[in-house]
Amino acid sequence: MTDNEYSKARKAAVDALIYWAKTGMREFTMRDAVNDYLEASGANRPSIGGEETILSHRKIAANRLAIDCIYVLSKEELSKVDRELEWIASDFLMQDLGIR
């Protein structure tokens, strides 16, 4: 993946998060954009630490998105984004365990 593709995925995720936080609309579009960014960031790549390491990388990448949203969102909207990103970041583990 090129830097340009990574930047586009990050911007798309941030834009989708901001739109969703402000309007409550396009939730699935936002989730897809965030997951695309997590994939583009390399957070999903397996490493020596296994699932715990992937989860940590996904949370770090998700926090980057939250930081990018700070300048636009109210405290309540940012809290909403933080909760959703936490859920999305840990979602892959729930799927592996058959919880969803």
Side-chain angles (χ1 to χ4, degrees):
M1 170 156 298
T2 67
D3 287 341
N4 190 32
E5 292 169 329
Y6 168 79
S7 295
K8 283 182 181 180
R10 183 170 154 189
K11 182 176 180 350
V14 169
D15 290 346
L17 279 163
I18 291 169
Y19 185 81
W20 170 77
K22 290 190 168 292
T23 67
M25 298 178 359
R26 298 187 181 166
E27 180 178 357
F28 295 112
T29 301
M30 174 271 298
R31 288 183 185 172
D32 287 343
V34 169
N35 279 312
D36 289 347
Y37 165 74
L38 293 174
E39 183 65 37
S41 72
N44 294 336
R45 290 190 201 121
S47 63
I48 296 171
E51 287 183 350
E52 287 183 26
T53 303
I54 293 171
L55 178 59
S56 295
H57 289 170
R58 287 175 62 92
K59 286 182 177 183
I60 291 166
N63 284 335
R64 179 67 226 172
L65 293 176
I67 290 168
D68 288 347
C69 294
I70 287 174
Y71 72 99
V72 176
L73 301 177
S74 69
K75 186 176 179 180
E76 293 79 23
E77 292 166 340
L78 190 56
S79 179
K80 180 179 173 182
V81 165
D82 284 337
R83 284 190 308 272
E84 186 68 15
L85 287 173
E86 177 70 26
W87 188 86
I88 292 170
S90 61
D91 186 45
F92 90 99
L93 186 57
M94 289 189 287
Q95 287 176 0
D96 285 350
L97 297 174
I99 294 172
R100 278 186 106 209

